């Protein structure tokens, strides 16, 4: 019977994160717009529940 070894999660790599942000530069306006819409939705939801 083979035991499966449990792998440790990879360490957080800032180089990978910077590369991801570099790929997203082209969509900066869209990302900002989506973030604003999410924030407005959260605010409106919180305001309507009180």
């Amino acid at each position: 019977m083979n035991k499966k070894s449990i792998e440790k999660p990879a360490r957080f790599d800032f180089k990978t994160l910077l590369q991801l942000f570099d790929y997203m530069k082209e969509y900066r306006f869209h990302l900002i717009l989506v973030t604003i819409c999410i924030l407005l939705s959260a605010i409106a939801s919180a305001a309507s529940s009180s």
Side-chain angles (χ1 to χ4, degrees):
M1 195 187 292
N2 276 342
K3 281 188 168 182
K4 290 186 177 180
S5 63
I6 299 174
E7 294 181 19
K8 292 182 180 179
R11 292 187 59 175
F12 188 75
D13 187 12
F14 285 103
K15 183 179 178 185
T16 304
L17 185 63
L18 291 176
Q19 188 175 15
L20 181 63
F21 284 147
D22 191 44
Y23 291 148
M24 293 189 309
K25 265 195 257 185
E26 182 179 341
Y27 304 103
R28 184 177 300 156
F29 175 74
H30 294 94
L31 292 171
I32 292 170
L33 185 64
V34 167
T35 304
I36 290 171
C37 288
I38 290 170
L39 290 174
L40 288 175
S41 175
I43 292 169
S45 177
S48 70
S49 67
S50 58

